[in-house]
């Protein structure tokens, strides 16, 4: 039996052609329980350990019964895939054990195997195999483990994936140098230094890659960056191995006076200005050179210069913020009029264009639209060709992105799936749109959901990405903004003009509407048991219960000047993040207390997204 299990991006089980997504699992606790047991490689797990995992300190009185119910539901789920649930998930001696069929493929395990194979192949001289396995490992290790969840076990698994990613990148760097592709090696080495700035092996590989590319000066700049970072952060200096690489580059550089003394057959030191040339013995020159370098290095570490200043946000740029310090760590120039920002497939994606609203015309597109893909490791910004005019943007579990392609002249629009790596259009499906503008776009439950931005329309189109088959659902609201709740299998819709927010349970079609949530409900997202709604026309965010009954809570953003509303939201790194362009600020909302913190960004922040390595914000030069 061919069984494949995904524990990253989106939990799923696939066996002999039957695929069950995470929406089929018995709620959040059922997903966590299955993922934890699957990751134990057949180890019997005590019930108390599982209880701690699922409930923590808030252990219910009937937890044993609740655990039995969860395991029973998981067994039934396995049966749907053709797996004998009773034989696979067993209970004995106070423990539960998940025994999967022989040959079962689990993505996190496959990443570890690929890294081991890549390193072994490179050690044996198999450069091509090392690169192939290294690329497979990086593709798997870049994924997020159980996104949306937290806890010590989840964080430990994410750290393990990060370490696998770094090992794979280092192997790819070595293999690229060996195969005569130093530019690729520099890209991989640079990513290692970004991911693990305290890991000196990454700097050494990056230095070697630059030398192989014929750029020794760039290699020396990498050394200087390493030296200053260690001095500023630890009060330490590079290891002997790193110093050895540095000295070797110095000696071999044709522009170095040290290399002039010890290189080739020459034994002459370059004369001082106006002084006659004299000859010295080779050994004395080498000793003097090394001693001089050692003395200079010692002086630098005794009196270290200040660290490099944080990069300054620029207009029409993509800025990465450190989630802990909230300081900019990278600024990448992009085109004007940035809109949505999505982190997917190891890249950051930005839509551009002008979308205007007026009382007479409603939401209208002013044209000049495009899609940009940014490589976080290199800072390369690439415009995606092919005639895209994106109004909406989303991603699926594979890391590919879906673009809602709008046409200002309307009617008619389509959604396009863009391969994250090759930028090729994999599928294009026409969808109904009276205005030709598709603003609301969400992926969930194995379907693509597309809202019609036309004021006269009240529909959402459900598209099967595999076949293109469509189903149109009509509502009493105008569903211009959409988001998907993975935990509950619900589609959430914001009524831009009506002020309400609606929830549709995808399986039953049942709809619940929260009236008058905000003046103009805009961007929505679901995080845990809450739905967060940004108000488009005033600076506040509304929190709603994701399931069941409960009251909404309005969280004002105390802007520094008169400001319009929130353009986009993102969740992660312990906060809810909201962009308020007119305030020139990104706001962090503490989901527990509701306290809002302002992060000033000089220009007009429009889109925000989170990845494993930071907070990404797009800045416009002006608010148009």
């Amino acid at each position: 039996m061919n069984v494949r299990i995904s524990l990253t991006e989106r939990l799923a089980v696939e066996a002999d052609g039957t695929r069950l997504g995470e929406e089929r699992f018995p709620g959040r606790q059922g997903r966590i329980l299955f993922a934890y047991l699957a990751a134990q490689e057949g180890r019997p797990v005590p019930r108390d350990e599982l209880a701690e995992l699922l409930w923590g300190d808030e252990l219910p009185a009937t937890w044993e019964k609740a655990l039995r119910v969860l395991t029973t539901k998981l067994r039934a789920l396995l049966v749907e895939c053709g797996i004998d649930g009773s034989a696979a998930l067993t209970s004995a001696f106070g423990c539960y054990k998940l025994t999967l069929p022989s040959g079962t493929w689990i993505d996190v395990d496959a990443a570890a195997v690929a890294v081991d194979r890549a390193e072994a192949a490179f050690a044996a001289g198999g450069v091509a195999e090392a690169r192939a396995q290294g690329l497979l490992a990086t593709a798997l290790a870049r994924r997020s483990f159980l996104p949306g969840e937290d806890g010590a076990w989840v964080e430990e698994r994410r750290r393990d994936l990060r370490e696998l990613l770094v090992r794979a990148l280092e192997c790819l760097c070595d293999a690229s140098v060996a195969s005569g592709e130093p530019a690729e090696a520099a890209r991989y080495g640079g990513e290692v230094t970004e991911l693990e700035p305290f890991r000196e092996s990454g700097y050494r590989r990056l230095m070697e890659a630059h030398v192989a590319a014929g750029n020794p000066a760039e290699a020396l700049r990498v050394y200087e960056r390493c030296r200053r970072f260690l001095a500023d952060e630890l009060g330490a200096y590079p290891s002997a191995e790193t110093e050895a690489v540095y000295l070797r580059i110095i000696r071999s550089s044709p522009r170095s006076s040290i290399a002039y003394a010890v290189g080739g057959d020459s034994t002459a030191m370059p004369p001082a200005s106006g002084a006659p040339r004299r000859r010295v013995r080779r050994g004395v020159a080498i000793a003097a050179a090394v001693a001089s370098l050692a003395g200079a290095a010692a002086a630098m570490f005794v009196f270290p210069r200040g660290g490099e200043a944080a990069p300054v946000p620029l207009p029409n740029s993509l800025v990465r913020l450190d989630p802990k310090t909230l300081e900019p760590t990278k600024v990448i120039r992009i085109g004007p009029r940035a809109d949505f920002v999505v982190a997917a497939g190891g890249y950051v994606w930005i839509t551009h264009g002008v979308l205007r609203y007026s009382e007479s015309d409603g939401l209208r597109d002013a044209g000049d639209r495009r899609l940009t893909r940014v490589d976080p490791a290199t800072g390369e910004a690439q415009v995606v060709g092919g005639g895209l005019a994106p109004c909406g943007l989303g991603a699926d579990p594979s890391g590919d992105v879906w673009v809602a392609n709008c046409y200002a002249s309307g009617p008619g629009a389509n959604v396009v799936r863009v391969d994250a790596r090759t930028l090729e259009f994999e599928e294009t499906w026409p969808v109904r749109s009276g205005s030709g503008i598709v603003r609301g776009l969400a992926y969930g439950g194995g379907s693509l959901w597309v809202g019609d931005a036309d004021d006269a329309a009240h529909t959402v189109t459900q598209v099967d990405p595999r076949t293109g088959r469509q189903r149109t659902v009509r509502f009493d609201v105008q569903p211009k903004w959409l988001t998907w709740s993975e935990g509950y299998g619900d589609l959430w819709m914001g009524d831009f003009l009506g002020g309400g927010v609606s929830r549709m349970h995808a399986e039953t079609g049942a709809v619940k509407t929260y009236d008058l949530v905000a003046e103009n409900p805009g961007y929505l997202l679901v995080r845990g048991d809450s739905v967060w709604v940004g108000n488009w026309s005033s600076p506040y965010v509304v929190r709603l219960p994701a399931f069941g009954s409960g009251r909404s809570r309005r969280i004002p953003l105390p802007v520094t000047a008169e400001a319009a509303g929130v353009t986009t939201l993102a969740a992660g790194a312990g906060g809810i993040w909201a962009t308020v362009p007119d305030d020139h600020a990104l706001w962090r909302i503490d989901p527990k207390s509701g306290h809002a913190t302002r992060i000033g960004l000089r220009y007009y922040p429009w889109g925000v997204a989170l990845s494993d390595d930071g907070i990404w914000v797009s800045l416009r030069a002006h608010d148009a």
Side-chain angles (χ1 to χ4, degrees), residues 135-149:
L135 289 171
L136 172 60
T138 56
L140 293 171
R142 286 188 196 279
R143 299 178 178 180
S144 177
F145 184 80
L146 291 185
E149 301 298 339

Side-chain angles (χ1 to χ4, degrees), residues 402 413-416 427-431 448 463-468 470:
W402 286 90
N414 59 43
V415 289
V416 181
E427 291 99 3
T428 302
W429 307 119
V431 295
L448 192 69
V463 183
D464 186 332
R466 296 167 298 180
T467 64
Q470 300 182 14

Side-chain angles (χ1 to χ4, degrees), residues 225-463:
R225 177 159 60 92
C226 172
R227 182 197 67 75
R228 293 180 66 179
F229 178 81
L230 295 178
D232 292 342
E233 296 294 327
L234 303 176
Y237 48 87
S239 64
E241 292 84 356
T242 304
E243 288 289 337
V245 175
Y246 170 69
L247 292 175
R248 186 170 70 250
I249 297 170
I250 288 287
R251 291 167 184 163
S252 62
S253 172
R255 296 183 181 272
S256 169
S257 61
I258 298 171
Y260 188 90
V262 300
D265 293 329
S266 174
T267 58
M269 291 289 290
S273 177
R277 186 183 297 273
R278 61 187 178 88
R279 305 185 69 79
V280 297
R281 290 179 297 168
R282 180 189 297 265
V284 175
I286 295 175
V290 174
S292 175
L293 281 173
M300 286 188 290
F301 294 122
V302 173
F303 305 103
R305 290 180 291 175
E308 295 181 3
V312 178
L314 299 172
N316 298 328
S317 69
L318 182 69
V319 178
R320 183 176 67 186
L321 303 177
D322 185 293
K324 296 181 179 179
T325 67
L326 302 182
E327 291 293 330
T329 59
K330 182 171 287 189
V331 177
I332 301 168
R333 296 305 296 262
I334 57 175
R337 297 176 292 278
D339 193 1
F340 286 120
V341 178
V342 167
Y347 298 95
V348 181
W349 306 80
I350 309 101
T351 62
H352 304 260
V354 179
L355 194 70
R356 300 185 185 279
Y357 172 77
S358 69
E359 293 292 342
S360 58
D361 297 331
L363 206 59
R364 288 295 177 264
D365 181 36
D368 190 23
R369 293 196 160 272
R370 54 186 159 177
L371 175 68
T372 298
R373 184 189 74 175
V374 172
D375 187 331
T378 65
E380 178 189 8
Q382 182 174 356
V383 176
V384 181
L388 290 178
C391 286
L393 184 65
D396 63 29
S398 72
D400 292 344
V401 293
W402 286 90
V403 176
N405 210 24
C406 65
Y407 297 89
S409 59
N414 59 43
V415 289
V416 181
R417 182 175 183 172
V418 181
D419 186 289
R421 184 177 58 85
T422 66
L423 299 183
E424 294 179 352
F425 298 173
E426 294 191 341
E427 291 99 3
T428 302
W429 307 119
V431 295
R432 182 194 182 281
S433 177
S435 65
I437 302 174
V438 176
R439 190 65 174 167
L441 181 69
Y443 187 96
S447 295
L448 192 69
W449 305 85
V450 186
D452 192 340
D454 184 42
D455 292 342
H458 298 259
T459 61
V460 171
T461 301
Q462 180 184 7
V463 183

